[in-house]
Amino acid sequence: NKKLNKHIFNHTIKIKVMNFKRYKQNLRVVTVDGDTYVQSYSTLVAKVEGSKLIQLGYWSVTTQKHINYAARELNLELVK
């Protein structure tokens, strides 16, 4: 887990990053100011909302594998 503080336009944004066991290089969970997302490569592809993982659009086969894996690992219901 990594914690970062970014200063953008005199506003501090708190960022927390968690990597998964699989897809270590390209898949992570990113929490930005309290909102939690799944990031595949450099794109935010899903958002955690309670016990659900809300998919943010339609993605390539590889990215969809990332999203499905993240939902299973986080024990969240995937909503497409």
Side-chain angles (χ1 to χ4, degrees):
N1 292 343
K2 298 178 190 173
K3 290 185 181 179
L4 306 170
N5 287 325
K6 296 285 185 179
H7 297 283
I8 300 174
F9 302 112
N10 294 322
H11 177 73
T12 300
I13 297 174
K14 295 182 187 221
I15 301 171
K16 181 180 174 184
V17 179
M18 180 193 85
N19 289 77
F20 290 95
K21 290 178 184 176
R22 289 178 60 189
Y23 310 115
K24 287 181 185 180
Q25 298 298 316
N26 303 315
L27 180 64
R28 62 198 51 85
V29 174
V30 180
T31 303
V32 181
D33 276 353
D35 292 322
T36 303
Y37 299 90
V38 172
Q39 180 180 342
S40 177
Y41 295 91
S42 61
T43 305
L44 299 177
V45 295
K47 183 177 182 183
V48 176
E49 292 186 6
S51 63
K52 297 181 181 184
L53 184 62
I54 310 298
Q55 188 169 311
L56 303 175
Y58 296 95
W59 306 99
S60 70
V61 171
T62 301
T63 299
Q64 191 64 57
K65 284 181 186 178
H66 287 173
I67 295 167
N68 295 344
Y69 174 76
R72 284 192 310 272
E73 287 295 302
L74 298 171
N75 199 29
L76 298 172
E77 176 189 350
L78 178 59
V79 178
K80 297 181 180 183

PDB file of all heavy atoms in Angstrom, residues 18-48:
ATOM      1  N   MET A  18      -3.355   0.334  -3.722  1.00  0.00           N
ATOM      2  CA  MET A  18      -3.168  -1.056  -3.314  1.00  0.00           C
ATOM      3  C   MET A  18      -3.071  -1.913  -4.574  1.00  0.00           C
ATOM      4  O   MET A  18      -3.907  -1.797  -5.462  1.00  0.00           O
ATOM      5  CB  MET A  18      -4.354  -1.531  -2.481  1.00  0.00           C
ATOM      6  CG  MET A  18      -4.234  -2.966  -2.019  1.00  0.00           C
ATOM      7  SD  MET A  18      -5.786  -3.624  -1.360  1.00  0.00           S
ATOM      8  CE  MET A  18      -6.591  -4.152  -2.858  1.00  0.00           C
ATOM      9  N   ASN A  19      -2.044  -2.740  -4.639  1.00  0.00           N
ATOM     10  CA  ASN A  19      -1.888  -3.644  -5.777  1.00  0.00           C
ATOM     11  C   ASN A  19      -2.450  -5.016  -5.432  1.00  0.00           C
ATOM     12  O   ASN A  19      -2.548  -5.387  -4.266  1.00  0.00           O
ATOM     13  CB  ASN A  19      -0.417  -3.769  -6.170  1.00  0.00           C
ATOM     14  CG  ASN A  19       0.097  -2.505  -6.803  1.00  0.00           C
ATOM     15  OD1 ASN A  19       0.367  -1.534  -6.108  1.00  0.00           O
ATOM     16  ND2 ASN A  19       0.224  -2.499  -8.102  1.00  0.00           N
ATOM     17  N   PHE A  20      -2.796  -5.780  -6.457  1.00  0.00           N
ATOM     18  CA  PHE A  20      -3.288  -7.145  -6.302  1.00  0.00           C
ATOM     19  C   PHE A  20      -2.140  -8.126  -6.457  1.00  0.00           C
ATOM     20  O   PHE A  20      -1.075  -7.786  -6.969  1.00  0.00           O
ATOM     21  CB  PHE A  20      -4.347  -7.445  -7.368  1.00  0.00           C
ATOM     22  CG  PHE A  20      -5.634  -6.705  -7.161  1.00  0.00           C
ATOM     23  CD1 PHE A  20      -5.872  -5.501  -7.808  1.00  0.00           C
ATOM     24  CD2 PHE A  20      -6.614  -7.213  -6.327  1.00  0.00           C
ATOM     25  CE1 PHE A  20      -7.062  -4.823  -7.631  1.00  0.00           C
ATOM     26  CE2 PHE A  20      -7.812  -6.545  -6.137  1.00  0.00           C
ATOM     27  CZ  PHE A  20      -8.032  -5.338  -6.793  1.00  0.00           C
ATOM     28  N   LYS A  21      -2.369  -9.391  -6.055  1.00  0.00           N
ATOM     29  CA  LYS A  21      -1.343 -10.434  -6.211  1.00  0.00           C
ATOM     30  C   LYS A  21      -1.109 -10.734  -7.680  1.00  0.00           C
ATOM     31  O   LYS A  21       0.020 -10.898  -8.116  1.00  0.00           O
ATOM     32  CB  LYS A  21      -1.766 -11.712  -5.482  1.00  0.00           C
ATOM     33  CG  LYS A  21      -1.749 -11.573  -3.985  1.00  0.00           C
ATOM     34  CD  LYS A  21      -2.224 -12.842  -3.305  1.00  0.00           C
ATOM     35  CE  LYS A  21      -2.276 -12.630  -1.801  1.00  0.00           C
ATOM     36  NZ  LYS A  21      -2.825 -13.787  -1.095  1.00  0.00           N
ATOM     37  N   ARG A  22      -2.186 -10.830  -8.448  1.00  0.00           N
ATOM     38  CA  ARG A  22      -2.070 -11.035  -9.894  1.00  0.00           C
ATOM     39  C   ARG A  22      -2.130  -9.676 -10.580  1.00  0.00           C
ATOM     40  O   ARG A  22      -2.624  -8.701 -10.021  1.00  0.00           O
ATOM     41  CB  ARG A  22      -3.222 -11.900 -10.409  1.00  0.00           C
ATOM     42  CG  ARG A  22      -3.109 -13.350  -9.964  1.00  0.00           C
ATOM     43  CD  ARG A  22      -4.268 -14.172 -10.438  1.00  0.00           C
ATOM     44  NE  ARG A  22      -4.367 -14.188 -11.900  1.00  0.00           N
ATOM     45  CZ  ARG A  22      -5.399 -14.690 -12.565  1.00  0.00           C
ATOM     46  NH1 ARG A  22      -6.417 -15.217 -11.914  1.00  0.00           N
ATOM     47  NH2 ARG A  22      -5.423 -14.679 -13.871  1.00  0.00           N
ATOM     48  N   TYR A  23      -1.640  -9.618 -11.778  1.00  0.00           N
ATOM     49  CA  TYR A  23      -1.672  -8.390 -12.585  1.00  0.00           C
ATOM     50  C   TYR A  23      -1.014  -7.219 -11.854  1.00  0.00           C
ATOM     51  O   TYR A  23      -1.470  -6.076 -11.937  1.00  0.00           O
ATOM     52  CB  TYR A  23      -3.112  -8.016 -12.970  1.00  0.00           C
ATOM     53  CG  TYR A  23      -3.926  -9.124 -13.567  1.00  0.00           C
ATOM     54  CD1 TYR A  23      -5.041  -9.625 -12.909  1.00  0.00           C
ATOM     55  CD2 TYR A  23      -3.595  -9.679 -14.794  1.00  0.00           C
ATOM     56  CE1 TYR A  23      -5.812 -10.643 -13.456  1.00  0.00           C
ATOM     57  CE2 TYR A  23      -4.356 -10.702 -15.360  1.00  0.00           C
ATOM     58  CZ  TYR A  23      -5.462 -11.175 -14.681  1.00  0.00           C
ATOM     59  OH  TYR A  23      -6.233 -12.178 -15.221  1.00  0.00           O
ATOM     60  N   LYS A  24       0.050  -7.486 -11.107  1.00  0.00           N
ATOM     61  CA  LYS A  24       0.695  -6.473 -10.256  1.00  0.00           C
ATOM     62  C   LYS A  24       1.077  -5.197 -10.996  1.00  0.00           C
ATOM     63  O   LYS A  24       0.974  -4.109 -10.453  1.00  0.00           O
ATOM     64  CB  LYS A  24       1.961  -7.044  -9.613  1.00  0.00           C
ATOM     65  CG  LYS A  24       1.699  -8.026  -8.530  1.00  0.00           C
ATOM     66  CD  LYS A  24       2.993  -8.511  -7.936  1.00  0.00           C
ATOM     67  CE  LYS A  24       2.742  -9.590  -6.919  1.00  0.00           C
ATOM     68  NZ  LYS A  24       3.956 -10.082  -6.315  1.00  0.00           N
ATOM     69  N   GLN A  25       1.539  -5.344 -12.225  1.00  0.00           N
ATOM     70  CA  GLN A  25       2.032  -4.179 -12.952  1.00  0.00           C
ATOM     71  C   GLN A  25       0.912  -3.292 -13.476  1.00  0.00           C
ATOM     72  O   GLN A  25       1.111  -2.093 -13.649  1.00  0.00           O
ATOM     73  CB  GLN A  25       2.898  -4.635 -14.144  1.00  0.00           C
ATOM     74  CG  GLN A  25       4.128  -5.396 -13.741  1.00  0.00           C
ATOM     75  CD  GLN A  25       5.073  -4.559 -12.893  1.00  0.00           C
ATOM     76  OE1 GLN A  25       5.322  -3.409 -13.206  1.00  0.00           O
ATOM     77  NE2 GLN A  25       5.563  -5.135 -11.818  1.00  0.00           N
ATOM     78  N   ASN A  26      -0.271  -3.879 -13.736  1.00  0.00           N
ATOM     79  CA  ASN A  26      -1.283  -3.141 -14.481  1.00  0.00           C
ATOM     80  C   ASN A  26      -2.620  -2.951 -13.787  1.00  0.00           C
ATOM     81  O   ASN A  26      -3.512  -2.328 -14.348  1.00  0.00           O
ATOM     82  CB  ASN A  26      -1.534  -3.848 -15.822  1.00  0.00           C
ATOM     83  CG  ASN A  26      -0.265  -3.981 -16.622  1.00  0.00           C
ATOM     84  OD1 ASN A  26       0.501  -3.044 -16.723  1.00  0.00           O
ATOM     85  ND2 ASN A  26      -0.031  -5.149 -17.170  1.00  0.00           N
ATOM     86  N   LEU A  27      -2.775  -3.494 -12.577  1.00  0.00           N
ATOM     87  CA  LEU A  27      -4.066  -3.427 -11.900  1.00  0.00           C
ATOM     88  C   LEU A  27      -3.874  -2.993 -10.460  1.00  0.00           C
ATOM     89  O   LEU A  27      -3.021  -3.526  -9.759  1.00  0.00           O
ATOM     90  CB  LEU A  27      -4.750  -4.804 -11.946  1.00  0.00           C
ATOM     91  CG  LEU A  27      -6.112  -4.909 -11.271  1.00  0.00           C
ATOM     92  CD1 LEU A  27      -7.136  -4.032 -11.972  1.00  0.00           C
ATOM     93  CD2 LEU A  27      -6.573  -6.363 -11.255  1.00  0.00           C
ATOM     94  N   ARG A  28      -4.679  -2.040 -10.029  1.00  0.00           N
ATOM     95  CA  ARG A  28      -4.577  -1.558  -8.645  1.00  0.00           C
ATOM     96  C   ARG A  28      -5.906  -0.961  -8.196  1.00  0.00           C
ATOM     97  O   ARG A  28      -6.762  -0.637  -9.016  1.00  0.00           O
ATOM     98  CB  ARG A  28      -3.454  -0.545  -8.500  1.00  0.00           C
ATOM     99  CG  ARG A  28      -3.601   0.708  -9.307  1.00  0.00           C
ATOM    100  CD  ARG A  28      -2.306   1.502  -9.483  1.00  0.00           C
ATOM    101  NE  ARG A  28      -1.194   0.725  -9.945  1.00  0.00           N
ATOM    102  CZ  ARG A  28      -0.930   0.456 -11.218  1.00  0.00           C
ATOM    103  NH1 ARG A  28      -1.727   0.909 -12.160  1.00  0.00           N
ATOM    104  NH2 ARG A  28       0.106  -0.268 -11.559  1.00  0.00           N
ATOM    105  N   VAL A  29      -6.038  -0.817  -6.897  1.00  0.00           N
ATOM    106  CA  VAL A  29      -7.153  -0.084  -6.306  1.00  0.00           C
ATOM    107  C   VAL A  29      -6.601   1.264  -5.869  1.00  0.00           C
ATOM    108  O   VAL A  29      -5.568   1.332  -5.208  1.00  0.00           O
ATOM    109  CB  VAL A  29      -7.740  -0.835  -5.083  1.00  0.00           C
ATOM    110  CG1 VAL A  29      -8.794   0.009  -4.386  1.00  0.00           C
ATOM    111  CG2 VAL A  29      -8.323  -2.159  -5.515  1.00  0.00           C
ATOM    112  N   VAL A  30      -7.282   2.325  -6.254  1.00  0.00           N
ATOM    113  CA  VAL A  30      -6.838   3.678  -5.943  1.00  0.00           C
ATOM    114  C   VAL A  30      -7.953   4.380  -5.186  1.00  0.00           C
ATOM    115  O   VAL A  30      -9.092   4.411  -5.647  1.00  0.00           O
ATOM    116  CB  VAL A  30      -6.516   4.462  -7.239  1.00  0.00           C
ATOM    117  CG1 VAL A  30      -6.053   5.869  -6.926  1.00  0.00           C
ATOM    118  CG2 VAL A  30      -5.492   3.722  -8.076  1.00  0.00           C
ATOM    119  N   THR A  31      -7.620   4.917  -4.023  1.00  0.00           N
ATOM    120  CA  THR A  31      -8.578   5.712  -3.263  1.00  0.00           C
ATOM    121  C   THR A  31      -8.134   7.165  -3.312  1.00  0.00           C
ATOM    122  O   THR A  31      -7.010   7.489  -2.933  1.00  0.00           O
ATOM    123  CB  THR A  31      -8.682   5.226  -1.802  1.00  0.00           C
ATOM    124  OG1 THR A  31      -9.046   3.847  -1.814  1.00  0.00           O
ATOM    125  CG2 THR A  31      -9.719   6.020  -1.024  1.00  0.00           C
ATOM    126  N   VAL A  32      -9.011   8.014  -3.820  1.00  0.00           N
ATOM    127  CA  VAL A  32      -8.718   9.439  -3.981  1.00  0.00           C
ATOM    128  C   VAL A  32      -9.755  10.214  -3.188  1.00  0.00           C
ATOM    129  O   VAL A  32     -10.947  10.167  -3.514  1.00  0.00           O
ATOM    130  CB  VAL A  32      -8.759   9.860  -5.468  1.00  0.00           C
ATOM    131  CG1 VAL A  32      -8.430  11.333  -5.621  1.00  0.00           C
ATOM    132  CG2 VAL A  32      -7.825   9.006  -6.305  1.00  0.00           C
ATOM    133  N   ASP A  33      -9.303  10.903  -2.154  1.00  0.00           N
ATOM    134  CA  ASP A  33     -10.199  11.690  -1.294  1.00  0.00           C
ATOM    135  C   ASP A  33     -11.454  10.921  -0.889  1.00  0.00           C
ATOM    136  O   ASP A  33     -12.560  11.432  -0.927  1.00  0.00           O
ATOM    137  CB  ASP A  33     -10.584  13.002  -1.984  1.00  0.00           C
ATOM    138  CG  ASP A  33      -9.541  14.088  -1.777  1.00  0.00           C
ATOM    139  OD1 ASP A  33      -8.595  13.882  -0.994  1.00  0.00           O
ATOM    140  OD2 ASP A  33      -9.651  15.156  -2.410  1.00  0.00           O
ATOM    141  N   GLY A  34     -11.280   9.635  -0.538  1.00  0.00           N
ATOM    142  CA  GLY A  34     -12.391   8.841  -0.028  1.00  0.00           C
ATOM    143  C   GLY A  34     -13.164   8.047  -1.073  1.00  0.00           C
ATOM    144  O   GLY A  34     -13.960   7.197  -0.719  1.00  0.00           O
ATOM    145  N   ASP A  35     -12.974   8.333  -2.354  1.00  0.00           N
ATOM    146  CA  ASP A  35     -13.629   7.563  -3.414  1.00  0.00           C
ATOM    147  C   ASP A  35     -12.665   6.483  -3.897  1.00  0.00           C
ATOM    148  O   ASP A  35     -11.508   6.766  -4.191  1.00  0.00           O
ATOM    149  CB  ASP A  35     -14.019   8.456  -4.588  1.00  0.00           C
ATOM    150  CG  ASP A  35     -15.133   9.425  -4.227  1.00  0.00           C
ATOM    151  OD1 ASP A  35     -16.036   9.026  -3.474  1.00  0.00           O
ATOM    152  OD2 ASP A  35     -15.098  10.571  -4.701  1.00  0.00           O
ATOM    153  N   THR A  36     -13.152   5.240  -4.009  1.00  0.00           N
ATOM    154  CA  THR A  36     -12.292   4.111  -4.348  1.00  0.00           C
ATOM    155  C   THR A  36     -12.606   3.602  -5.742  1.00  0.00           C
ATOM    156  O   THR A  36     -13.772   3.380  -6.088  1.00  0.00           O
ATOM    157  CB  THR A  36     -12.454   2.987  -3.317  1.00  0.00           C
ATOM    158  OG1 THR A  36     -12.142   3.523  -2.017  1.00  0.00           O
ATOM    159  CG2 THR A  36     -11.523   1.825  -3.608  1.00  0.00           C
ATOM    160  N   TYR A  37     -11.539   3.417  -6.537  1.00  0.00           N
ATOM    161  CA  TYR A  37     -11.657   2.995  -7.930  1.00  0.00           C
ATOM    162  C   TYR A  37     -10.736   1.818  -8.208  1.00  0.00           C
ATOM    163  O   TYR A  37      -9.730   1.639  -7.540  1.00  0.00           O
ATOM    164  CB  TYR A  37     -11.232   4.130  -8.876  1.00  0.00           C
ATOM    165  CG  TYR A  37     -12.069   5.367  -8.755  1.00  0.00           C
ATOM    166  CD1 TYR A  37     -11.723   6.372  -7.858  1.00  0.00           C
ATOM    167  CD2 TYR A  37     -13.206   5.538  -9.537  1.00  0.00           C
ATOM    168  CE1 TYR A  37     -12.494   7.525  -7.747  1.00  0.00           C
ATOM    169  CE2 TYR A  37     -13.980   6.679  -9.429  1.00  0.00           C
ATOM    170  CZ  TYR A  37     -13.618   7.669  -8.540  1.00  0.00           C
ATOM    171  OH  TYR A  37     -14.381   8.794  -8.430  1.00  0.00           O
ATOM    172  N   VAL A  38     -11.065   1.056  -9.253  1.00  0.00           N
ATOM    173  CA  VAL A  38     -10.156   0.068  -9.807  1.00  0.00           C
ATOM    174  C   VAL A  38      -9.505   0.721 -11.016  1.00  0.00           C
ATOM    175  O   VAL A  38     -10.197   1.290 -11.876  1.00  0.00           O
ATOM    176  CB  VAL A  38     -10.903  -1.221 -10.210  1.00  0.00           C
ATOM    177  CG1 VAL A  38      -9.979  -2.156 -10.971  1.00  0.00           C
ATOM    178  CG2 VAL A  38     -11.463  -1.910  -8.972  1.00  0.00           C
ATOM    179  N   GLN A  39      -8.186   0.663 -11.057  1.00  0.00           N
ATOM    180  CA  GLN A  39      -7.421   1.244 -12.157  1.00  0.00           C
ATOM    181  C   GLN A  39      -6.749   0.117 -12.936  1.00  0.00           C
ATOM    182  O   GLN A  39      -6.048  -0.713 -12.368  1.00  0.00           O
ATOM    183  CB  GLN A  39      -6.357   2.207 -11.627  1.00  0.00           C
ATOM    184  CG  GLN A  39      -5.533   2.848 -12.712  1.00  0.00           C
ATOM    185  CD  GLN A  39      -4.487   3.785 -12.132  1.00  0.00           C
ATOM    186  OE1 GLN A  39      -4.575   4.214 -10.986  1.00  0.00           O
ATOM    187  NE2 GLN A  39      -3.487   4.087 -12.924  1.00  0.00           N
ATOM    188  N   SER A  40      -6.995   0.076 -14.244  1.00  0.00           N
ATOM    189  CA  SER A  40      -6.352  -0.875 -15.142  1.00  0.00           C
ATOM    190  C   SER A  40      -5.453  -0.065 -16.060  1.00  0.00           C
ATOM    191  O   SER A  40      -5.926   0.856 -16.734  1.00  0.00           O
ATOM    192  CB  SER A  40      -7.412  -1.632 -15.947  1.00  0.00           C
ATOM    193  OG  SER A  40      -6.806  -2.498 -16.874  1.00  0.00           O
ATOM    194  N   TYR A  41      -4.168  -0.398 -16.059  1.00  0.00           N
ATOM    195  CA  TYR A  41      -3.164   0.422 -16.738  1.00  0.00           C
ATOM    196  C   TYR A  41      -3.296   1.842 -16.183  1.00  0.00           C
ATOM    197  O   TYR A  41      -3.184   2.017 -14.987  1.00  0.00           O
ATOM    198  CB  TYR A  41      -3.301   0.317 -18.257  1.00  0.00           C
ATOM    199  CG  TYR A  41      -3.008  -1.084 -18.762  1.00  0.00           C
ATOM    200  CD1 TYR A  41      -4.024  -2.021 -18.891  1.00  0.00           C
ATOM    201  CD2 TYR A  41      -1.716  -1.485 -19.038  1.00  0.00           C
ATOM    202  CE1 TYR A  41      -3.766  -3.317 -19.314  1.00  0.00           C
ATOM    203  CE2 TYR A  41      -1.430  -2.780 -19.462  1.00  0.00           C
ATOM    204  CZ  TYR A  41      -2.462  -3.689 -19.596  1.00  0.00           C
ATOM    205  OH  TYR A  41      -2.194  -4.957 -20.002  1.00  0.00           O
ATOM    206  N   SER A  42      -3.580   2.839 -16.967  1.00  0.00           N
ATOM    207  CA  SER A  42      -3.661   4.210 -16.441  1.00  0.00           C
ATOM    208  C   SER A  42      -5.091   4.734 -16.397  1.00  0.00           C
ATOM    209  O   SER A  42      -5.313   5.932 -16.196  1.00  0.00           O
ATOM    210  CB  SER A  42      -2.793   5.138 -17.300  1.00  0.00           C
ATOM    211  OG  SER A  42      -3.271   5.138 -18.634  1.00  0.00           O
ATOM    212  N   THR A  43      -6.079   3.834 -16.537  1.00  0.00           N
ATOM    213  CA  THR A  43      -7.476   4.250 -16.635  1.00  0.00           C
ATOM    214  C   THR A  43      -8.293   3.756 -15.445  1.00  0.00           C
ATOM    215  O   THR A  43      -8.196   2.589 -15.068  1.00  0.00           O
ATOM    216  CB  THR A  43      -8.094   3.691 -17.940  1.00  0.00           C
ATOM    217  OG1 THR A  43      -7.306   4.108 -19.050  1.00  0.00           O
ATOM    218  CG2 THR A  43      -9.516   4.166 -18.129  1.00  0.00           C
ATOM    219  N   LEU A  44      -9.119   4.635 -14.887  1.00  0.00           N
ATOM    220  CA  LEU A  44     -10.066   4.238 -13.852  1.00  0.00           C
ATOM    221  C   LEU A  44     -11.227   3.549 -14.548  1.00  0.00           C
ATOM    222  O   LEU A  44     -11.923   4.171 -15.362  1.00  0.00           O
ATOM    223  CB  LEU A  44     -10.551   5.452 -13.059  1.00  0.00           C
ATOM    224  CG  LEU A  44      -9.469   6.235 -12.321  1.00  0.00           C
ATOM    225  CD1 LEU A  44     -10.067   7.452 -11.625  1.00  0.00           C
ATOM    226  CD2 LEU A  44      -8.723   5.355 -11.338  1.00  0.00           C
ATOM    227  N   VAL A  45     -11.423   2.249 -14.259  1.00  0.00           N
ATOM    228  CA  VAL A  45     -12.393   1.455 -15.018  1.00  0.00           C
ATOM    229  C   VAL A  45     -13.617   1.037 -14.209  1.00  0.00           C
ATOM    230  O   VAL A  45     -14.604   0.567 -14.779  1.00  0.00           O
ATOM    231  CB  VAL A  45     -11.718   0.210 -15.629  1.00  0.00           C
ATOM    232  CG1 VAL A  45     -10.677   0.627 -16.656  1.00  0.00           C
ATOM    233  CG2 VAL A  45     -11.109  -0.683 -14.564  1.00  0.00           C
ATOM    234  N   ALA A  46     -13.567   1.184 -12.896  1.00  0.00           N
ATOM    235  CA  ALA A  46     -14.704   0.820 -12.048  1.00  0.00           C
ATOM    236  C   ALA A  46     -14.614   1.585 -10.728  1.00  0.00           C
ATOM    237  O   ALA A  46     -13.527   1.985 -10.316  1.00  0.00           O
ATOM    238  CB  ALA A  46     -14.721  -0.683 -11.797  1.00  0.00           C
ATOM    239  N   LYS A  47     -15.767   1.769 -10.095  1.00  0.00           N
ATOM    240  CA  LYS A  47     -15.830   2.496  -8.820  1.00  0.00           C
ATOM    241  C   LYS A  47     -16.508   1.629  -7.774  1.00  0.00           C
ATOM    242  O   LYS A  47     -17.528   0.993  -8.052  1.00  0.00           O
ATOM    243  CB  LYS A  47     -16.608   3.801  -8.985  1.00  0.00           C
ATOM    244  CG  LYS A  47     -16.657   4.633  -7.725  1.00  0.00           C
ATOM    245  CD  LYS A  47     -17.367   5.944  -7.933  1.00  0.00           C
ATOM    246  CE  LYS A  47     -17.335   6.745  -6.638  1.00  0.00           C
ATOM    247  NZ  LYS A  47     -18.081   7.997  -6.762  1.00  0.00           N
ATOM    248  N   VAL A  48     -15.945   1.606  -6.573  1.00  0.00           N
ATOM    249  CA  VAL A  48     -16.539   0.876  -5.452  1.00  0.00           C
ATOM    250  C   VAL A  48     -17.620   1.751  -4.833  1.00  0.00           C
ATOM    251  O   VAL A  48     -17.379   2.906  -4.483  1.00  0.00           O
ATOM    252  CB  VAL A  48     -15.472   0.510  -4.395  1.00  0.00           C
ATOM    253  CG1 VAL A  48     -16.124  -0.163  -3.191  1.00  0.00           C
ATOM    254  CG2 VAL A  48     -14.395  -0.379  -4.999  1.00  0.00           C
TER     255      VAL A  48
END
